[in-house]
Amino acid sequence: MIAKPEREQIIALINREVVPAIGCTEPIAVALCVAKATETLGKRPEKIKALLSANILKNAMGVGIPGTGMIGLPIAIALGALIGKSEYQLEVLKDSTPEAVEEGKKLIDSQAISIGLKEDIEEKLYIEISCEADGDKATAIIACGHTNFVYVAFNSQVLLNKQTSATCNEDAIEPELNLRKVYDFATTTPLDEIRFILETKRLNKAAAERSFKGNYGHELGKILKSSKSEEQLLGSNTFTHILSYTSAACDARMAGAMIPVMSNSGSGNQGITATLPVVVYAEDNHKSEEEVIRALTLSHLTVIYIKQSLGRLSALCGCVVAATGSSCGITYLMGGTYEQITFAVQNMIANLTGMICDGAKPSCALKLSSGVSTAVFSAILAMEHKCVSSVEGIIDDDVDRSIRNLTRIGSQGMNETDKLVLDIMTHKQCD
């Protein structure tokens, strides 16, 4: 068993990274930053200027904003100023009302909001908001993490300044992880210390079930769940249950439903993908509460571990990482050993590496379905002791080196892809 001081570090890490969120985390983080700047200003802004990194822009352009029936940054920024409360963190817009949305539309129409690309920054997660009114100006900056404020100022008075080269790592010492340690933590930690992970099951399953009752996004989850049995294309089984629940929660979230989900590493879709395949497999196969807790812990902590080297935002679709976590959780529930769990990871990396992120949007439900399909296949192969070998592609004999190969491709090798994707997205209307 891992020593208690290190267990406590890992538990603190999970609690930082697995948190509730309403709406896509990129526009919501922008709304959070606007709320902080507005609170600092102390009055309703007359002008709001947002300077954002390319990855924030990419992930905020096509996604629904909760409770508005609208997509994109302008309404998120307007509501952040009008009703946002920074103390709510990634649930910053939960007090939104139809009246506030109408007021937000007026603010947008008044041309008070400007949005631009922040030039010459390396950080992929960067949000800079300036609010002005009556000759006063307040500025707030979020960087590195979706809720990580690094700068706050009112006029010439600097209230917070953590803008250093170590910004991303200075708030908390992260425990050093590898897959073996992730597995040992998940499978040996006293149950009462990790029981809190069941909240991911409660929130994300509820989001899927709400989605089944509504009409959200492309309705992929609802369609999969209601497919006529006589068609027998997929049938009603654990595999289709996993696909329908996972995609349904994504359908609702990407369409802007006012439904909270439990996120992972700053992404609601990652939280959904790390949770629901594990939960559905466990329920369909009558697994015990202890098995569910340990499988969910294994899944979520695997995602956190991989994201440590990949980064918050990248050109690599986050469902690749999150589905790798759920494949580990499913393999564990199938009775898999540590070796078989490493096989599942290797199989995932061999298959899904290279799936691009082209922004948050309703069709993300399709990508999540692709990811969790591969998660199930990888687990099945792993249980048969089938593993992609080190002579194939980027796979290494050492599973942790394979993970590094994956994250190097996502964080370094695909940078030009990221730029091209954003260029295509921002110039479609001009073609």
Side-chain angles (χ1 to χ4, degrees):
M1 183 184 295
I2 295 172
K4 188 172 183 179
E6 189 170 14
R7 292 204 312 271
E8 290 174 345
Q9 272 193 328
I10 295 172
I11 289 168
L13 174 63
I14 297 172
N15 279 317
R16 286 196 302 274
E17 299 293 359
V18 180
V19 297
I22 296 177
C24 176
T25 47
E26 276 69 60
I28 294 302
V30 175
L32 173 63
C33 201
V34 173
K36 173 66 81 172
T38 301
E39 290 163 1
T40 304
L41 187 65
K43 63 191 85 173
R44 176 171 167 165
E46 297 167 354
K47 292 183 179 180
I48 305 171
K49 182 178 182 180
L51 292 174
L52 311 171
S53 61
N55 286 77
I56 292 290
L57 280 171
K58 180 181 73 173
N59 278 357
M61 290 172 60
V63 71
I65 306 304
T68 69
M70 301 171 68
I71 65 170
L73 283 165
I75 191 63
I77 290 172
L79 289 176
L82 295 172
I83 55 91
K85 291 183 176 64
S86 64
E87 66 191 76
Y88 291 167
Q89 299 283 287
L90 293 179
E91 296 179 287
V92 60
L93 299 184
K94 69 179 181 180
D95 288 343
S96 181
T97 62
E99 292 75 21
V101 173
E102 290 306 310
E103 193 65 25
K105 291 177 182 177
K106 293 177 184 177
L107 187 61
I108 295 168
D109 291 341
S110 73
Q111 307 296 310
I113 298 169
S114 66
I115 302 168
L117 178 67
K118 180 70 175 181
E119 304 284 358
D120 301 322
I121 56 166
E122 293 185 6
E123 173 53 41
K124 293 184 178 182
L125 197 167
Y126 182 92
I127 302 164
E128 180 180 322
I129 303 294
S130 297
C131 293
E132 298 182 33
D134 301 327
D136 290 320
K137 179 179 179 180
T139 301
I141 298 174
I142 285 175
C144 304
H146 290 79
T147 61
N148 185 41
F149 285 96
V150 298
Y151 184 85
V152 179
F154 177 70
N155 292 328
S156 59
Q157 183 183 6
V158 177
L159 305 175
L160 172 71
N161 189 0
K162 298 191 294 180
Q163 291 182 293
T164 69
S165 59
T167 293
C168 291
N169 300 311
E170 64 182 18
D171 281 346
I173 299 173
E174 291 194 351
E176 291 187 11
L177 297 175
N178 54 49
L179 192 63
R180 180 80 224 195
K181 187 177 290 185
V182 167
Y183 173 82
D184 288 345
F185 175 86
T187 57
T188 66
T189 296
L191 213 57
D192 284 345
E193 294 182 18
I194 53 174
R195 191 178 299 276
F196 66 88
I197 204 70
L198 287 175
E199 185 67 4
T200 66
K201 170 185 174 180
R202 186 188 71 81
L203 272 187
N204 293 343
K205 188 179 178 188
E209 290 173 344
R210 282 273 300 276
S211 185
F212 291 140
K213 297 174 182 176
N215 300 289
Y216 299 107
H218 298 298
E219 300 183 46
L220 177 60
K222 192 173 183 179
I223 290 168
L224 288 171
K225 191 173 190 295
S226 63
S227 291
K228 295 176 182 177
S229 59
E230 62 265 28
E231 292 178 0
Q232 290 299 315
L233 180 61
L234 293 173
S236 178
N237 51 53
T238 298
F239 180 62
T240 55
H241 297 164
I242 287 172
L243 294 182
S244 63
Y245 269 81
T246 305
S247 54
C250 180
D251 284 330
R253 181 173 174 270
M254 293 290 94
M258 189 65 83
I259 300 172
V261 302
M262 193 67 82
S263 66
N264 184 305
S265 302
S267 166
N269 282 349
Q270 286 171 188
I272 289 167
T273 307
T275 303
L276 288 176
V278 175
V279 168
V280 173
Y281 182 89
E283 290 185 345
D284 277 12
N285 289 276
H286 311 292
K287 297 298 178 180
S288 68
E289 182 180 75
E290 176 172 354
E291 289 173 304
V292 173
I293 291 170
R294 297 201 182 282
L296 283 171
T297 302
L298 176 60
S299 179
H300 278 277
L301 190 55
T302 298
V303 177
I304 293 168
Y305 163 47
I306 299 174
K307 292 290 286 188
Q308 282 181 331
S309 55
L310 178 62
R312 294 278 172 174
L313 300 175
S314 74
L316 183 69
C317 176
C319 84
V320 173
V321 177
T324 301
S326 60
S327 188
C328 292
I330 290 169
T331 305
Y332 170 81
L333 290 173
M334 288 177 170
T337 62
Y338 172 70
E339 181 186 39
Q340 288 166 313
I341 285 167
T342 69
F343 290 173
V345 173
Q346 301 278 43
N347 293 338
M348 288 294 297
I349 294 171
N351 193 341
L352 281 184
T353 299
M355 183 188 286
I356 65 167
C357 171
D358 55 343
K361 59 208 175 302
S363 61
C364 284
L366 288 164
K367 291 191 175 185
L368 265 63
S369 293
S370 297
V372 299
S373 297
T374 304
V376 174
F377 301 154
S378 296
I380 291 170
L381 284 173
M383 291 305 295
E384 296 294 325
H385 290 273
K386 303 292 185 182
C387 178
V388 177
S389 70
S390 61
V391 301
E392 301 175 68
I394 65 168
I395 300 303
D396 195 289
D397 285 325
D398 183 291
V399 66
D400 293 293
R401 285 200 292 267
S402 292
I403 288 170
R404 293 296 178 274
N405 294 341
L406 166 71
T407 59
R408 281 179 60 203
I409 290 169
S411 62
Q412 301 172 32
M414 294 176 71
N415 281 337
E416 288 303 313
T417 300
D418 221 13
K419 293 175 185 176
L420 181 58
V421 166
L422 183 65
D423 183 68
I424 292 170
M425 291 174 65
T426 54
H427 289 87
K428 284 191 293 186
Q429 303 303 319
C430 302
D431 292 343

